[in-house]
Amino acid sequence: MAKGKGLALCRILHQVVDILPGSWNSQRARAGKNLGEIAMTQFRPFEMDSIPIEEQFMNWKEIVKPPYDKKSVDAYTRTRVILMNGIENASVLMSHAIERMTVDPEIKRQMAAMRRADSMQQQTVDWLNPANQSVIETTLGYEQVAVDLTANLAKNEPDSYVKQTLDFALLEDFDHLYRYSCLYDYIEGGDPESIVQGKTEVKAARPTIGHHRHPDETMRKHYDKDTADIKTKMNYLTIVAGEQQTELFYKTHGNMYSDELARQLYSEIADVEEEHVTLYGLLGDPNETMLEKSALMQLCEAYIYFSCAQTETDPRIKAIWEDFAKMEISHFEGCANLLEKYEGRDIRDIVKADVIEPLVVFEPNKNYVNKIIDEQLDLMPSNMEYKRLSELSDEWASFKFQWKVNGAGVPSEEVVSKANSELAKRDQAENVKQFKRQLSERTQNVMASQRERMMPRP
Ligand SMILES: [Fe+2]
Ligand SMILES: [Fe+2]
Ligand SMILES: [Fe+2]
């Protein structure tokens, strides 16, 4: 393949690197010069240098690097670590799913190599989290990722339906950050500000009690692979990765608390994340081939590592992002080669851009989030669109579903009463109270009329 100038350059670079003396790392360092400095502020995947796959495997001491210091770490360094772990996890899981549906041994072999490198990268990234950061502290980091990542993607999303879906779930993860903050105060006496560092607000939004919709309401329309902007495809893969890893984290850590309410809260919010993974996952075009999806996933990994490297304030961690971005470019090239060989397609006809912009940046989004709260707090999904709670028909399946799952008490409500009064009063905003009142009245009325209909007539 190597139709693009950048890919050809990378191949020459690989040959040069192959004959250099010294360790893999010194080769990497040399390989990183010159070509890597083509355009540091723009993500130009076809012009970036890469690291050959055989040089990406690390020894055990290289994989596990010292963790960051939780007391001095910048909140957004922590969120970058959490996000990149999620991106790698998504890449590895997608690759495993595809290998099981792939017949060709050469595709399977090459995917195994890339996957192994991605898997090692994931361990490096996830092991940057320190042991003294408690599960609930890491959880607040996960929800801070969800808020400020989703807001950044939504602000820069060209597809209005995808943007609406991001804005919709943004308000839910924003509320999860608040509910978990109450738990942090209750079980550890912790102050959520020590994690979010004033960059992300901690208060109620669309209350979690209203997030529990019938599975039918997780259905979504998908973008069209032929007309969607590459930024939409990158945003899609990024948010699915983040949400998937969040769900997995809650499901593997919620059982680590002995406190009954903590256990229940993790379970309740993990269930909402399952909704989020479904509704976001369905935004992707199922007509993309497996190799096309693989190439886009690897491109997404490179794009997000590159984005993280541009804004990282910890030089040691910045070097990891830079190094791993180059590895991902080689995975992307590998997938592009497979696409050309097995489907006769040029990756440039899929990406359709030399630059993917803007970069994904972690920064405060308070004004944006407050605007979405003001305008959309009472939105609910219905038939793959978004409606006001007041506009939903009595047939909306989620009334009955909520009546069922919320029927014996709701941990996300109970946890507020366990938090200090200052945190607890943030659940008393008029728009939040009004939403809960309205939802409760509608649910009770709908269930009462259903019961009436089912009563035998005299
Ligand atoms: Fe990776
Ligand atoms: Fe979520
Ligand atoms: Fe990768």
Side-chain angles (χ1 to χ4, degrees), residues 159-173:
D159 179 307
S160 61
Y161 185 76
V162 173
K163 174 181 161 38
Q164 177 62 77
T165 301
L166 288 162
D167 285 337
F168 172 76
L170 166 64
L171 296 195
E172 307 202 326
D173 286 319

Side-chain angles (χ1 to χ4, degrees), residues 42-295:
Q42 281 189 317
F43 180 63
R44 295 178 170 271
F46 297 105
E47 293 177 32
M48 281 174 66
D49 58 329
S50 62
I51 295 170
I53 192 82
E54 289 303 323
E55 293 173 25
Q56 295 185 12
F57 304 126
M58 298 179 263
N59 69 42
W60 315 125
K61 309 289 175 174
E62 285 174 319
I63 291 175
V64 178
K65 300 187 188 334
Y68 58 75
D69 173 2
K70 83 163 186 177
K71 292 234 161 36
S72 62
V73 70
D74 184 278
Y76 287 144
T77 294
R78 177 170 32 235
T79 58
R80 281 185 283 270
V81 168
I82 290 170
L83 174 60
M84 286 321 313
N85 176 49
I87 299 277
E88 289 293 0
N89 181 64
S91 172
V92 169
L93 292 188
M94 180 194 281
S95 176
H96 275 304
I98 289 175
E99 84 182 327
R100 292 165 198 162
M101 293 180 273
T102 297
V103 175
D104 190 280
E106 179 57 18
I107 297 177
K108 284 196 272 203
R109 191 188 66 77
Q110 287 201 37
M111 287 189 72
M114 291 178 217
R115 191 169 59 246
R116 193 66 166 273
D118 279 328
S119 177
M120 286 184 173
Q121 288 173 314
Q122 182 180 5
Q123 280 147 230
T124 296
V125 173
D126 200 24
W127 267 239
L128 291 172
N129 292 301
N132 65 351
Q133 186 169 275
S134 66
V135 170
I136 184 64
E137 287 173 330
T138 305
T139 297
L140 296 182
Y142 267 81
E143 294 296 354
Q144 188 172 26
V145 171
V147 171
D148 285 322
L149 173 71
T150 310
N152 181 268
L153 300 183
K155 280 182 187 173
N156 299 302
E157 173 51 56
D159 179 307
S160 61
Y161 185 76
V162 173
K163 174 181 161 38
Q164 177 62 77
T165 301
L166 288 162
D167 285 337
F168 172 76
L170 166 64
L171 296 195
E172 307 202 326
D173 286 319
F174 185 84
D175 192 75
H176 298 167
L177 176 61
Y178 170 66
R179 309 286 153 181
Y180 279 131
S181 293
C182 293
L183 183 68
Y184 186 37
D185 176 63
Y186 162 50
I187 50 175
E188 291 186 16
D191 178 359
E193 284 305 316
S194 68
I195 304 296
V196 299
Q197 300 173 2
K199 296 170 200 275
T200 310
E201 278 190 87
V202 175
K203 63 181 184 183
R206 180 184 304 127
T208 299
I209 189 173
H211 299 180
H212 310 303
R213 276 125 359 210
H214 189 278
D216 284 356
E217 300 303 352
T218 56
M219 297 301 106
R220 290 296 182 277
K221 295 184 265 192
H222 63 79
Y223 65 69
D224 178 338
K225 70 180 174 64
D226 296 321
T227 55
D229 193 281
I230 188 65
K231 176 62 175 160
T232 295
K233 296 178 184 181
M234 294 296 101
N235 284 355
Y236 161 69
L237 288 164
T238 304
I239 196 67
V240 172
E243 297 286 332
Q244 176 72 83
Q245 177 54 24
T246 303
E247 178 186 5
L248 293 176
F249 184 80
Y250 298 164
K251 285 192 173 175
T252 48
H253 292 79
N255 58 4
M256 295 177 80
Y257 283 106
S258 55
D259 182 276
E260 200 178 355
L261 179 57
R263 293 161 63 81
Q264 291 172 3
L265 182 66
Y266 271 91
S267 171
E268 182 190 355
I269 295 183
D271 190 69
V272 181
E273 301 305 345
E274 165 59 23
E275 280 186 73
H276 287 178
V277 176
T278 304
L279 66 89
Y280 278 133
L282 293 177
L283 295 174
D285 191 338
N287 300 302
E288 288 165 345
T289 68
M290 289 191 276
L291 286 178
E292 185 175 359
K293 283 189 186 296
S294 299

Side-chain angles (χ1 to χ4, degrees), residues 209-423:
I209 189 173
H211 299 180
H212 310 303
R213 276 125 359 210
H214 189 278
D216 284 356
E217 300 303 352
T218 56
M219 297 301 106
R220 290 296 182 277
K221 295 184 265 192
H222 63 79
Y223 65 69
D224 178 338
K225 70 180 174 64
D226 296 321
T227 55
D229 193 281
I230 188 65
K231 176 62 175 160
T232 295
K233 296 178 184 181
M234 294 296 101
N235 284 355
Y236 161 69
L237 288 164
T238 304
I239 196 67
V240 172
E243 297 286 332
Q244 176 72 83
Q245 177 54 24
T246 303
E247 178 186 5
L248 293 176
F249 184 80
Y250 298 164
K251 285 192 173 175
T252 48
H253 292 79
N255 58 4
M256 295 177 80
Y257 283 106
S258 55
D259 182 276
E260 200 178 355
L261 179 57
R263 293 161 63 81
Q264 291 172 3
L265 182 66
Y266 271 91
S267 171
E268 182 190 355
I269 295 183
D271 190 69
V272 181
E273 301 305 345
E274 165 59 23
E275 280 186 73
H276 287 178
V277 176
T278 304
L279 66 89
Y280 278 133
L282 293 177
L283 295 174
D285 191 338
N287 300 302
E288 288 165 345
T289 68
M290 289 191 276
L291 286 178
E292 185 175 359
K293 283 189 186 296
S294 299
L296 289 170
M297 184 72 238
Q298 296 301 332
L299 180 62
C300 180
E301 287 183 75
Y303 169 58
I304 305 296
Y305 274 129
F306 186 89
S307 293
C308 288
Q310 302 311 305
T311 47
E312 183 57 67
T313 49
D314 181 328
R316 181 178 69 92
I317 294 178
K318 180 186 173 84
I320 296 173
W321 305 148
E322 288 174 337
D323 208 26
F324 284 10
K326 291 176 202 152
M327 295 188 189
E328 300 304 346
I329 289 295
S330 123
H331 301 174
F332 173 58
E333 290 169 9
C335 290
N337 281 326
L338 292 173
L339 255 179
E340 170 142 326
K341 184 172 173 190
Y342 290 91
E343 296 182 17
R345 298 166 74 193
D346 185 340
I347 187 65
R348 282 176 178 272
D349 295 336
I350 293 169
V351 177
K352 293 180 188 150
D354 294 325
V355 184
I356 301 177
E357 55 190 357
L359 298 177
V360 174
V361 175
F362 279 106
E363 60 190 354
N365 293 287
K366 293 179 187 178
N367 291 342
Y368 182 81
V369 174
N370 281 321
K371 180 171 176 287
I372 302 297
I373 291 174
D374 285 347
E375 295 171 356
Q376 303 190 17
L377 187 134
D378 64 339
L379 286 196
M380 283 282 131
S382 174
N383 290 329
M384 301 200 276
E385 295 295 347
Y386 298 92
K387 289 188 176 168
R388 304 255 166 230
L389 179 53
S390 58
E391 296 165 353
L392 295 169
S393 88
D394 285 355
E395 307 310 311
W396 191 56
S398 301
F399 286 126
K400 190 175 179 187
F401 190 86
Q402 297 207 348
W403 180 78
K404 168 70 184 174
V405 297
N406 291 338
V410 183
S412 61
E413 290 293 307
E414 291 162 14
V415 76
V416 176
S417 64
K418 303 276 190 181
N420 68 52
S421 59
E422 198 282 316
L423 259 182

